[in-house]
Amino acid sequence: MPARLSTVTALNPGAALNPLTALTLAVATAAITTAAASWAVSLAVALAAAVLAVRAGVSGRLVPAAAVILAPFWISLLIMHGLFFPEGRTVLAQWGAARVTAEGLSFALDMGSRTAACVLVFLLFSFTVRVPDLVAVMAARRVPPQFGYVLASTLTLAPAIAARLDRIRQAQESRGLVLRGGFLPRLAAARLQMVPLVLALIQDAGDRAQALDSRGFNGTRARTSYRDVPDSAAQRGVRAVALLAAVAAVGLRISGHWPEMQWPGGVPA
């Protein structure tokens, strides 16, 4: 019989965490950050995620992805709450109906930093986790295969689309279609790229469905995996503590007993 593969340390020496531990830490961090409702905590979490991304060597992918997600959200926050915050009392500037208030900017900063922290945490997880290991862990714990497939597809969808789009662009340029230049030429060429991209994704979906069906994806028998993902008592303890901390934080926030943090001088954090 072929030797079973030892993952995490053997296949990727830099990845010491079980995928389930990484997922639990990401979910718990996002829950605690949301419950804290403090821009100081959110900025600290976002900074920690950025540092970990640099150490993991994924900052080059994480930063553009986070910018694409967060930039429209931040702009909408600035417009909605920075300029038109109905509860604002301290007016900093005014142009007709638009008023820049200290309360609106504070609310926008709180929401923007909190969302940025959660987005960075989950992007860090998605860019560092080994998807085959995560699927193997779920299969070993009798998680429905449909859930594991949806999660794996979600984590791999963006890179697959980017790679397919790059191949389409290269093929079109090899046939004499110039897609580079300013904003308007790129916008006009987007339609020529989207049509083959959508058709290719539809074809891939059909091919995957046939492959899954031929391998008994909808079968009811217990599944096994050739991947052996190590887990330790210490990591199981970390997962339990992280989940308890997340539940406690959410409970404190819902009950209204979360301690209000302030900087020296009475400025809320």
Side-chain angles (χ1 to χ4, degrees):
M1 294 178 60
R4 300 182 70 184
L5 296 179
S6 177
T7 62
V8 182
T9 54
L11 295 179
N12 188 0
L17 289 181
N18 183 285
L20 192 59
T21 302
L23 178 60
T24 303
L25 290 175
V27 172
T29 301
I32 295 173
T33 303
T34 303
S38 167
W39 64 266
V41 173
S42 300
L43 290 180
V45 172
L47 180 60
V51 171
L52 291 176
V54 172
R55 294 188 59 182
V58 297
S59 58
R61 291 186 294 161
L62 184 142
V63 172
V68 170
I69 297 173
L70 293 173
F73 180 74
W74 284 342
I75 293 174
S76 64
L77 279 179
L78 181 61
I79 295 175
M80 294 174 58
H81 302 293
L83 300 179
F84 304 98
F85 193 66
E87 290 82 5
R89 297 293 180 267
T90 307
V91 180
L92 303 178
Q94 184 170 0
W95 302 278
R99 300 184 307 151
V100 180
T101 61
E103 293 81 4
L105 292 178
S106 177
F107 184 83
L109 174 62
D110 180 34
M111 291 294 297
S113 59
R114 194 185 316 171
T115 305
C118 295
V119 168
L120 288 174
V121 166
F122 283 115
L123 284 178
L124 177 63
F125 166 76
S126 65
F127 287 148
T128 55
V129 69
R130 292 184 59 86
V131 177
D133 291 347
L134 181 60
V135 174
V137 168
M138 292 183 174
R141 285 164 174 75
R142 299 296 186 265
V143 176
Q146 292 82 359
F147 179 81
Y149 178 76
V150 170
L151 181 59
S153 299
T154 302
L155 293 174
T156 58
L157 182 61
I161 291 178
R164 172 75 69 170
L165 188 60
D166 186 61
R167 289 196 297 268
I168 292 174
R169 179 186 59 79
Q170 293 178 3
Q172 290 178 340
E173 288 184 344
S174 67
R175 291 174 173 84
L177 179 62
V178 179
L179 301 179
R180 303 185 185 277
F183 175 75
L184 292 180
R186 288 177 177 270
L187 185 62
R191 178 182 61 85
L192 301 177
Q193 293 180 328
M194 291 302 105
V195 173
L197 176 63
V198 172
L199 293 177
L201 292 177
I202 294 176
Q203 182 179 357
D204 287 347
D207 294 341
R208 292 188 182 188
Q210 293 179 0
L212 292 173
D213 185 63
S214 65
R215 288 165 174 77
F217 182 74
N218 293 323
T220 57
R221 299 182 60 181
R223 299 174 180 272
T224 59
S225 175
Y226 70 90
R227 306 182 72 89
D228 184 15
V229 184
D231 196 9
S232 63
Q235 293 200 48
R236 290 192 291 271
V238 168
R239 293 198 293 268
V241 171
L243 289 176
L244 288 176
V247 171
V250 173
L252 287 174
R253 174 55 63 184
I254 294 176
S255 64
H257 292 87
W258 185 273
E260 296 294 335
M261 294 179 291
Q262 292 184 343
W263 295 109
V267 179

